[in-house]
Amino acid sequence: MKNTTLAFLFVSPALLFLLAILGWPLVQAVILSFQDVGVIGSQGQYVGLANYSAILGGAGFWRALGRSIVWVLGNAVVQTALALATALILNQKFPGVRIARTWVILTWIVPTVVVVIIWRWLLSSSGGMINPLLIQAGIIERPVGFFATRESAMTTLILINSWRWFPFTALMMLAGLTRIPGDLYEAARIDGAGTFQRFKRITWPLLQPTLLVLGVVGTLLSFNVFDVIWLLTAGGPSGATQTLPVLIYDTAFKGYRLSEAATISVLTSILLMGFAFLATRAMTAQEAAR
């Protein structure tokens, strides 16, 4: 009992800090969602559930939610594939592996604005480097506008965001790989197991806890990405990349409907908290079953 009380006293400053910077804005958003405030600083009237009825009854919220799900799933698939391949390579012993482990994190620590400028230039249909390379390789015949169509814009954004974030995921997976005892691989090698069999029977099962945690954290982070999308497409073309965070911004600062934006924020928070709760329970149940 004393240890529990002491532990709570140690973490209480951090909990109070989190409550102040996260809890208070959420409370303010909930209050705003029951009013009809248009712009910051203006007075609003209590309207009850009118905002929730308007948002849930309109098509904009559901379309943005669908795009957010596509965005999250696309990032999950691409980032996991890139990160797992990178982690497996960096887990091997070869000259310069320590340097490689350090350099792989560079794309993650580069500021978002720099990333956007680089990719805007690389993907430009006039003067960029990607189009000429694709033309020389015979893949395309003329320059492509990567952000010009609805399908290509979302795909390009997913690839850019995955390129930015996969090093972080790779390092987390690498940490999980280093915890797997080398004796298991040695015993499997002696028994005649090939590379794929060792991965299937040893690496993949023992890496599952790390992958599950990364899946939950990655989903929450990806769902809330705003900067990359806004700086590259601003939700376009024709709303094709308008995810929920972008919809919140557009509603509040372009549509001057602050209370509706707060309503979308509250609904998004409920969705993410529900996902986190269910995912945590599923992981706990899986750990208990082992």
Side-chain angles (χ1 to χ4, degrees):
M1 185 65 181
K2 291 182 178 180
N3 291 335
T4 303
T5 304
L6 185 62
F8 180 77
L9 289 175
F10 278 125
V11 301
S12 57
L15 291 176
L16 291 174
F17 179 73
L18 287 175
L19 185 63
I21 65 172
L22 297 178
W24 180 246
L26 183 58
V27 170
Q28 290 297 309
V30 173
I31 294 173
L32 270 176
S33 69
F34 292 107
Q35 300 176 350
D36 62 349
V37 177
V39 296
I40 297 176
S42 62
Q43 296 296 320
Q45 299 292 327
Y46 176 78
V47 294
L49 297 175
N51 289 324
Y52 289 92
S53 177
I55 295 300
L56 294 175
F61 173 80
W62 299 107
R63 289 173 182 168
L65 177 60
R67 296 186 198 104
S68 293
I69 293 174
V70 171
W71 166 262
V72 169
L73 292 177
N75 275 277
V77 172
V78 177
Q79 287 184 41
T80 301
L82 291 175
L84 183 58
T86 303
L88 290 172
I89 293 173
L90 294 179
N91 196 41
Q92 306 301 314
K93 295 181 180 180
F94 59 87
V97 64
R98 291 186 178 180
I99 298 176
R101 290 178 178 179
T102 302
W103 278 80
V104 75
I105 200 67
L106 284 181
T107 61
W108 180 58
I109 64 176
V110 172
T112 303
V113 174
V114 177
V115 171
V116 168
I117 292 173
I118 292 173
W119 280 105
R120 271 192 176 278
W121 170 64
L122 289 174
L123 297 174
S124 174
S125 56
S126 58
M129 293 180 60
I130 303 298
N131 272 305
L133 290 175
L134 294 177
I135 293 174
Q136 290 179 7
I139 299 175
I140 59 177
E141 296 181 355
R142 56 181 180 274
V144 174
F146 290 94
F147 301 110
T149 66
R150 299 174 65 89
E151 294 77 14
S152 64
M154 179 61 82
T155 302
T156 304
L157 283 176
I158 288 173
L159 293 176
I160 292 174
N161 192 65
S162 297
W163 173 85
R164 171 159 168 65
W165 281 96
F166 91 88
F168 170 77
T169 308
L171 289 182
M172 296 301 101
M173 289 185 182
L174 180 61
L177 289 173
T178 56
R179 295 175 59 186
I180 300 176
D183 295 342
L184 296 178
Y185 291 109
E186 187 63 28
R189 196 177 290 109
I190 293 174
D191 290 338
T195 302
F196 178 75
Q197 288 296 323
R198 293 197 298 271
F199 174 81
K200 181 181 178 181
R201 301 294 183 182
I202 301 175
T203 305
W204 185 253
L206 295 180
L207 198 59
Q208 285 297 309
T210 302
L211 292 175
L212 288 173
V213 173
L214 286 174
V216 175
V217 175
T219 297
L220 297 176
L221 291 176
S222 294
F223 203 99
N224 288 309
V225 167
F226 170 80
D227 48 5
V228 172
I229 300 174
W230 180 257
L231 291 172
L232 284 170
T233 65
S238 302
T241 58
Q242 189 187 54
T243 57
L244 282 176
V246 178
L247 177 63
I248 293 170
Y249 181 89
D250 286 341
T251 304
F253 302 110
K254 296 177 72 175
Y256 302 107
R257 302 190 305 275
L258 191 62
S259 287
E260 290 189 15
T263 304
I264 302 173
S265 299
V266 173
L267 292 172
T268 302
S269 299
I270 293 173
L271 287 173
L272 294 180
M273 285 188 290
F275 167 78
F277 175 75
L278 293 175
T280 303
R281 288 199 62 178
M283 287 190 295
T284 303
Q286 188 178 41
E287 286 293 327
R290 289 182 176 179

